[in-house]
């Protein structure tokens, strides 16, 4: 199978970010942050606004990894429903954690508005279209739990979901009106610009290759420079390397792959997602879709495990588009791209303190647009002295996954299995 040239829609359509260079000197700061995605930049911005000297280092360019590649779906909450979170974390931390995750989408839109970030943001909601009656029943329970806590989450009938998505494939759904969409690369570049305005510094093409304790401080070395600081924040998520080996073993990374069509003709734009919500359906291997500012349909799902997807992987995505939107037959596809998603064993994001003065936030399980931004704020507040209860988020030890070396094989097998389960459900439903 031939490889398919990869280009992301977002890099083709975002304005340039701030001009940045590699670190070539030895510096001191209050905090050094590894990773210039949403987590790292959000933490740095919060610390800079609190008057701290911050230096952010990235091995690549700003937004070259997940924060500039994702679907741009601003999804409130985490994978677990609020009642489950309260059961897991008890009467004190549980409700505080629910409040934290509930506020993640609000935070994104507040930051965009406060810093005037131009990233084509829309806030018409995030939809979960149901692929079966049993999934619909689970969505109804979820909606009810959120509504009890005052969130604007409603159920949609079959007719309503068809009108909002333009697809006949779903039997109903949920709309969470706190959610929405962003142009993800424009958003992360906007965060970097806001950080520079607030007095922070960002160095790109500057991989952190060593982390050393020097007296009561930490020094991070890059190939041509170093930063010494009392605090280090590791914000490397699915792209975590061997800088702190145990951290890499707390997540399993799985690929996610997206395609985007040409701008749709006016009639189809009126039909498909006319209000521009974000949507992720309820298949085990869910498909997520949205439109962009030019009216292209963007759809993603779990990808292949190859670094460069081949034609078979791309055809898989095309089939998903045509299954959900048969009216798009014949519309050409223009962009294909993908990246890595960090999955944790408990499906929760994690905030760790691997050593005194060293913090890490990662593991968003495909929901990092809102949650990584919230994690950045939590990390900054932790550096400024907040306890886990004040944060409304657990601070947990680094617990590497047992037999991590085999986890890639496990993830592959799980994806194949879930693909089969979805396939059986589809054939039972006659789709
Ligand atoms: C294809 C795809 C689609 C997705 N869609 C959605 C979506 O629609 N909605 C949603 O909520 N979430 C989505 N996600 C997840 C979301 O993008 C991530 O959770 C989020 O971007 C994580 O942000 P981050 O800053 O933690 O990590 P990243 O943005 O990946 O940043 C980590 C940075 O660390 C740097 N780094 C790593 N090691 C080093 C080192 N040693 N030295 C220096 N720098 C280093 C990397 O270069 C990278 O820039 C998607 C992810 C992918 C890949």
């Amino acid at each position: 199978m031939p490889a398919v040239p990869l280009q992301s829609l977002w890099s083709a359509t975002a304005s340039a970010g701030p001009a940045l260079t590699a670190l070539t000197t030895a510096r001191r700061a209050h905090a050094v942050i590894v990773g210039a995605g949403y987590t790292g930049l959000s933490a740095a911005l919060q610390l800079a606004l609190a008057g701290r000297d911050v230096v952010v280092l990235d091995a690549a360019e700003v937004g070259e990894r997940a924060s500039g590649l994702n679907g741009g779906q601003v999804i409130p909450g985490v994978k677990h429903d609020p009642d489950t979170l309260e059961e897991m974390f008890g009467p004190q931390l549980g409700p505080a954690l629910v409040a934290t995750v509930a506020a993640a989408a609000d935070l994104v839109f507040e930051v965009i508005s406060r810093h005037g970030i131009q990233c084509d943001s829309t806030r018409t909601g995030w939809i979960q279209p149901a692929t079966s009656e049993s999934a619909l029943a689970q969505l109804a329970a979820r909606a009810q739990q959120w509504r009890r806590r005052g969130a604007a989450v409603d159920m949609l009938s079959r007719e309503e979901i068809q009108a909002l998505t333009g697809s006949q494939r779903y039997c109903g759904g949920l709309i969470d009106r706190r959610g929405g969409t962003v142009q993800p690369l424009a958003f992360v570049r906007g965060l970097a610009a806001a950080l520079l305005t607030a007095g922070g510094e960002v160095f790109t093409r500057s991989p952190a290759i060593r982390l050393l304790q020097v007296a009561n401080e930490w020094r991070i070395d890059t190939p041509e420079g170093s930063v010494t600081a009392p605090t280090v924040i590791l914000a490397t998520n699915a792209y975590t390397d061997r800088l702190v080996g145990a951290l890499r073993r707390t997540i399993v990374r799985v690929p996610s792959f997206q395609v985007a069509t040409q701008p749709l003709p006016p009639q189809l734009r009126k039909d498909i997602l006319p209000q521009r919500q974000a949507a992720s359906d309820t298949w085990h291997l869910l498909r997520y879709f949205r439109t962009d500012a030019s009216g292209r349909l963007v759809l993603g799902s779990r990808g292949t495990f190859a670094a460069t997807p081949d034609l078979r992987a791309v055809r898989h995505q095309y089939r998903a588009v045509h299954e959900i939107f048969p009216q798009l037959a014949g519309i050409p596809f223009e962009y294909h791209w993908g990246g890595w998603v960090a999955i944790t064993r408990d499906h929760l994001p994690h905030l760790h303190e691997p050593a005194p003065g060293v913090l890490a936030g990662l593991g968003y399980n495909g929901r990092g647009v809102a949650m990584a931004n919230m994690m950045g704020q939590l990390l900054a507040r932790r550096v400024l002295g907040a306890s886990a209860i004040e944060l409304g988020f657990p601070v947990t030890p680094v617990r590497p996954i047992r037999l991590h070396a085999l986890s890639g094989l496990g993830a592959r097998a799980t994806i194949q299995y879930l693909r089969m389960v979805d396939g059986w459900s589809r054939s039972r439903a006659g789709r």
Side-chain angles (χ1 to χ4, degrees):
M1 283 277 174
V4 177
L6 292 182
Q7 193 193 3
S8 129
L9 164 65
W10 311 128
S11 63
T13 56
S15 323
L20 300 165
T21 56
L23 179 72
T24 53
T25 54
R27 315 172 73 86
R28 300 193 67 80
H30 286 125
V32 52
I33 292 154
V34 184
Y38 300 141
T39 307
L41 291 171
S42 162
L45 182 56
Q46 183 77 3
L47 287 171
L49 291 171
R52 302 297 193 276
D53 268 348
V54 289
V55 174
V56 182
L57 303 172
D58 202 292
E61 295 297 331
V62 168
E64 207 177 316
R65 304 296 183 227
S67 297
L69 294 169
N70 62 70
Q73 303 209 359
V74 184
I75 305 173
V78 290
K79 293 271 175 188
H80 296 294
D81 289 334
D83 284 1
T84 312
L85 287 178
E86 290 193 6
E87 273 161 36
M88 286 168 84
F89 290 93
Q92 204 182 5
L93 187 53
L97 176 60
V98 170
T100 300
V101 304
D106 295 342
L107 173 71
V108 167
F109 294 105
E110 272 161 34
V111 167
I112 289 171
S113 145
R114 175 170 179 190
H115 298 282
I117 298 175
Q118 301 294 313
C119 60
D120 180 37
S121 61
T122 64
R123 201 175 189 186
T124 47
W126 171 65
I127 293 176
Q128 275 193 295
T131 53
S132 65
E133 292 297 333
S134 60
L136 196 59
Q138 282 175 6
L139 294 182
R142 176 167 306 152
Q144 202 252 343
Q145 290 180 28
W146 277 120
R147 268 204 312 274
R148 255 197 285 124
R149 293 166 172 89
V153 181
D154 296 305
M155 290 304 286
L156 299 167
S157 66
R158 183 183 287 271
E159 292 69 34
E160 286 168 327
I161 200 92
Q162 289 178 0
L164 284 181
T165 60
S167 174
Q168 311 279 319
R169 289 290 176 258
Y170 301 109
C171 57
L174 166 155
I175 182 163
D176 187 329
R177 299 183 199 279
R178 300 168 295 180
T181 64
V182 292
Q183 208 284 22
L185 179 59
F187 177 40
V188 71
R189 286 180 174 167
L191 283 175
L195 173 61
L196 298 183
T197 305
E201 291 186 285
V202 185
F203 295 96
T204 51
R205 302 282 156 210
S206 303
I209 51 177
R210 238 181 330 269
L211 171 64
L212 295 169
Q213 192 158 24
V214 182
N216 288 334
E217 295 192 309
W218 295 96
R219 194 184 80 212
I220 295 238
D221 292 338
T222 67
E224 295 178 84
S226 67
V227 187
T228 304
T231 302
V232 174
I233 295 179
L234 303 168
T236 49
N237 201 41
Y239 295 84
T240 299
D241 58 16
R242 291 173 195 278
L243 184 69
V244 177
L247 195 60
R248 203 174 58 89
R249 287 182 275 119
T250 63
I251 53 160
V252 174
R253 55 180 215 167
V254 298
S256 192
F257 186 57
Q258 294 177 87
V259 295
T261 64
Q262 275 185 357
L264 303 179
Q267 188 47 47
L268 286 175
R269 285 179 75 164
K270 274 194 222 145
D271 186 26
I272 294 178
L273 295 166
Q275 298 177 22
R276 296 200 57 202
Q277 280 95 357
S280 341
D281 70 23
T282 59
W283 290 118
H284 289 100
L285 293 183
L286 64 85
R287 285 97 180 261
Y288 52 96
F289 49 91
R290 55 166 295 178
T291 54
D292 80 341
S294 303
R296 295 176 178 85
L297 179 82
V298 183
L299 178 139
S301 70
R302 288 277 185 271
T304 60
F305 281 79
T308 315
D310 61 20
L311 255 185
R312 194 174 33 199
V314 168
R315 286 201 190 115
H316 181 79
Q317 302 300 82
Y318 292 175
R319 266 200 307 278
V321 169
H322 294 140
E323 187 196 302
I324 300 168
F325 301 109
Q327 62 272 52
L328 292 186
I331 303 280
F333 290 87
E334 277 186 336
Y335 299 98
H336 310 88
W337 74 102
W340 293 101
V341 173
I343 307 292
T344 54
R345 216 171 17 184
D346 58 8
H347 298 292
L348 283 170
H350 294 163
L351 195 168
H352 302 300
E353 281 175 356
V358 181
L359 292 91
L362 76 175
Y364 309 108
N365 296 277
R367 293 191 174 197
V369 175
M371 205 47 223
N373 278 280
M374 175 55 85
M375 179 63 80
Q377 293 244 337
L378 298 174
L379 289 162
R381 285 174 49 212
R382 182 74 173 169
V383 171
L384 298 171
S387 67
I389 292 293
E390 284 164 345
L391 287 183
F393 202 89
V395 179
T396 51
V398 173
R399 281 201 202 97
I401 295 171
R402 281 178 55 221
L403 301 178
H404 185 264
L406 301 178
S407 62
L409 294 175
R412 231 173 280 210
T414 307
I415 286 182
Q416 286 308 336
Y417 171 72
L418 294 177
R419 190 165 279 153
M420 251 161 39
V421 173
D422 285 345
W424 291 328
S425 309
R426 270 193 203 96
S427 44
R428 270 208 311 273
R431 291 179 195 158

